[in-house]
Amino acid sequence: MTKPASPAAHAPERQPTDWKSAAMQKRIRRRYAAERRFRMLGAGAVIVSAAFLAFLLVTMVAQGWRGFTATELALPLDLKAAQLKVTREQLNSPAADLALASGGLEEAVQNAAVTAFGPDGASFLAPSAWVWVRDAVKRDPSLLERRATINVPAATGFDQALTGDGDAAMEAGVARLTRQNAIRRGFNWTFLHESDSTDPVAVGIWGALKGSLMTMAITFLIAFPVGVLSAIYLEEYAPKNRWTDLIEVSINNLAAVPSIIFGLLGLAVFLGTWEIGGRVYGPMLPRSAPIVGGVTLALMIMPVIVIASRNAIKGVPPSIRDAALGIGASPIQVVFHHVLPLALPGILTGTIIGMARALGETAPLLLIGMRAFIVTPPGSFTDPATVLPVQIFLWSDEVSRGFVEKTSAAILVLLAVLLAMNGLAIYLRNKFETRW
Amino acid sequence: MILGLGLIGWLTARARAARFDRGGRKRLHSLPAQHGWYVGMWTILPPLLFLAIWSAVSPSLVRQTVLQSPAAAGLSDFAFERDSVLAQARAIAEDPFAGDGDPLAQQLAPVVGATRTRYAWIGSAAAILLAFAGGAFAISRIRPDFRARSKVERTLMMGLLVASLIAIFTTLGIFVSLFWESTRFFEQVPITQFLFGTHWSPQVIDAKNPGASLGAVPLFWGTFFIGAVIAMLVAIPFGLMSAVYLTQYASATTRRWMKPTLEMLAGVPTVVYGYFAALTVAPAVRKLAVLLGDPFASSESALAAGLVMGVMIIPFVSSMADDSLAAVPTAMRDGSLAMGATTSETISRVLVPAALPGVVAGVLLAVSRAIGETMIVVMAASGAATITLNPLQSATTVTKQIVDLLTGEAEFDSPKTLAAFALGLTLFIITLLLNIVALRVVKKYREAYD
């Protein structure tokens, strides 16, 4: 743009900006460059965050997939020649495990490995390989009197040598056994239906998973009704006074209290001893049991459910309440017959998200003692149990290399369950979301 | 069983009331189903209440009966020894193959078993009797003009009130239990020594002067350094920039896909982050430290834990920033754009300053979340309490020490265990203050633009 052609008598003091001048063009270019940089920075932040998530998942899958595979060795056994000091009667008694263990079965299995796979054959077997043989003998006692080939798990080092990162001795063993055609690979069913063990080859997640399910059941049974009922009260009936404010403030604060504090609460209240009037009252709930974990987690996620339910109830338009009241429903009927069914999808979504949070929680459960070494899955709500995240924590502390892949595999299972829960929540939200 | 009885009560009452309704000269005051609920409640609630009390009382009743039985004559007078034998007897009574314990326990087991069965029978008989009595009483009250609805609804309202009071009880429970154990701790260790002492080594506690090795300043520093400095240096730029990009620049499709993806970061369990930090990030950080010329770098550095924690907090900061940016009136944004500002100038000079209170509140909440985070530091940070400014060195946090103190083998009354509760109380108070301040800021700020 050029300057005004005719200089007027009262010339404006300020000249209009000349956008085409070199200085202005440069300035605009600089500003647009800054704009692009800013935009790139934003996109970069999103991409880096997503990349971190992807990196985490890829690391876990890369380490974890091997936890789902099992390497077994076909071990030819001649238990008749081994002459175990075990009788048929002993095998049918409840003490069969003990009898086989003291009868020299472990040694027999190791000798068989040496005979079949060479002088270092015993090192190819997992330390708990004889347990597989023991269970096979218990299923079929005739094994004691004949030759047979039993599949037993290979040692962790052998498994690693098979995929190319073991030591030289194991690599040689792998080559030899491949020639003997004694290696079997397959899906690791043990991992899905066994519990904790000291031998990484023999561990499974079923015990921890069952503990998690039982804990979640208790959590749901307490947190869902209490959360929904208090949301109804606060949203529909509560008078505006100091007490209601106090309830609201405590719910909002509870939602932000660190989870470990709930562990301390559980420890002090449910597991501590109380001295009232000179008499000591023992722990309210049994230690390490799903019931105490469930109650603690229920207190933790209750605020989440209350807040989600209140939002869902708030979303139901007042005209529905007015219509119901208008045709003669009582206030209770209005809520339970009309408002609650309409708010239910939102409430359920919030509940599922809260439950997912409880399922992934570790710290409070560590404090209330759900970190024991649990070999048998819990049979009831008062049995000692552990949960999946705590099991992951315990395995991550193990020194043995075999536990690394098992830990990652357990993490994959946990993530899959959580993903399914969140997916369900999103599906519910999309399917039943109503725009009023 | 009792639920079944309740159902029967509900059905009969409903039928009875319905008959009144059909053949009656008077109109029913309440619907038949409400009469049903009335009877059902009378049938179920009293026995359940009774069973709850009974299950609390009966163990001590069993105990007394067993102690008075002739088989218990040989029991030791020492409470501790007696309790252990009784516990063994209980285990044997539950499972005969529980193992061979004390011979006295073997002898007591049948007595314990029989007494327990007897009390269980008494309890269930009384509960069923109560159920019948309650049901009969309620059914006898059904008349056409009986106001069942008001009674049922009043009970229900009581239930609602009780449910919402549980939140208050939980808060109170947390505060009282932490405070109670902490006062016991401060009886043994002066509070000033705990809060201002700079030496923390709970492994070696001098019994005469336990406070000397329980000074928590290194823990407070470590918590602040990892949670409020390193983690925030990661979370604030990434969280804020992601929120800005997703709300201001990204297309609807990108937003629809990337927002849940980022939120997944918050859904990953902390134990997974901890494992990742310990197994992948910490060795990498150590390698970096060695490259920088520190051959003795710790593999449990503050940086590894802080970095991963920061990533975990990103979606938290981002969603808070998202909300506050969305709350800025569109007129301000449009005005700035109309004046010729570029989008980035509008964001950094208009939107972010206007949304600043909300963003700051979000950061405060994020800090409160970070310093309360446990599993990442338990798995990736070290237990050695040092005060350092070097992120490549080790640092420990309050939460990690709570877990370490409580998972060791120590009796409940030792200063070591009680120190965990004092740490918990400190943590609780700090996070509470942060939350209250943050919520107040958010509220003020919302009002400013409404």
Side-chain angles (χ1 to χ4, degrees), chain A residues 1-3 15-25 28:
Chain A
M1 200 184 290
T2 52
K3 283 182 183 175
Q15 299 288 318
T17 315
D18 179 7
W19 293 102
K20 286 205 174 142
S21 71
M24 270 305 161
Q25 286 292 331
I28 288 177

Side-chain angles (χ1 to χ4, degrees), chain A residues 354-374:
Chain A
M355 294 296 288
R357 197 179 139 197
L359 181 60
E361 197 54 74
T362 321
L365 300 178
L366 278 185
L367 294 195
I368 56 176
M370 295 186 83
R371 52 177 288 145
F373 177 67
I374 306 288

Side-chain angles (χ1 to χ4, degrees), chain B residues 235-246:
Chain B
I236 294 175
F238 281 97
L240 198 56
M241 283 312 287
S242 312
V244 163
Y245 183 78
L246 288 180

Side-chain angles (χ1 to χ4, degrees), chain B residues 137-151:
Chain B
F137 167 72
I139 286 184
S140 73
R141 291 187 68 178
I142 295 180
R143 302 253 150 58
D145 57 349
F146 178 61
R147 296 173 176 264
R149 194 185 82 191
S150 350
K151 306 248 177 208

Side-chain angles (χ1 to χ4, degrees), chain A residues 334-350:
Chain A
V334 169
V335 169
F336 281 86
H337 295 181
H338 301 280
V339 176
L340 202 54
L342 289 173
L344 209 53
I347 294 175
L348 285 182
T349 311

Side-chain angles (χ1 to χ4, degrees), chain B residues 233-418:
Chain B
L233 282 180
V234 177
I236 294 175
F238 281 97
L240 198 56
M241 283 312 287
S242 312
V244 163
Y245 183 78
L246 288 180
T247 52
Q248 308 294 329
Y249 287 113
S251 64
T253 332
T254 321
R255 191 176 152 79
R256 207 175 61 232
W257 283 100
M258 291 315 286
K259 210 169 168 341
T261 311
L262 287 195
E263 274 166 10
M264 267 174 73
L265 278 175
V268 174
T270 52
V271 66
V272 177
Y273 279 119
Y275 182 64
F276 185 68
L279 198 79
T280 313
V281 180
V285 168
R286 199 188 114 81
K287 258 185 214 153
L288 177 79
V290 173
L291 270 183
L292 287 178
D294 180 4
F296 304 109
S298 161
S299 64
E300 297 178 317
S301 59
L303 187 60
L307 274 181
V308 176
M309 197 187 275
V311 171
M312 186 193 83
I313 303 284
I314 287 177
F316 201 73
V317 174
S318 143
S319 79
M320 290 297 288
D322 200 334
D323 289 349
S324 6
L325 285 174
V328 176
T330 351
M332 289 172 80
R333 179 168 182 258
D334 294 347
S336 166
L337 289 174
M339 295 301 288
T342 61
T343 318
S344 66
E345 286 161 356
T346 305
I347 291 165
S348 55
R349 308 236 175 111
V350 176
L351 289 187
V352 171
L356 201 59
V359 174
V360 169
V363 169
L364 285 184
L365 286 180
V367 170
S368 122
R369 183 78 169 266
I371 64 178
E373 169 47 44
T374 311
M375 288 323 288
I376 295 178
V377 285
V378 165
M379 293 164 84
S382 96
T386 45
I387 303 184
T388 171
L389 260 175
N390 180 358
L392 295 173
Q393 284 202 330
S394 56
T396 191
T397 70
V398 171
T399 46
K400 169 154 175 84
Q401 290 302 323
I402 293 178
V403 171
D404 282 1
L405 289 173
L406 285 178
T407 48
E409 297 295 324
E411 64 269 41
F412 209 74
D413 284 344
S414 73
K416 217 170 138 178
T417 337
L418 293 176

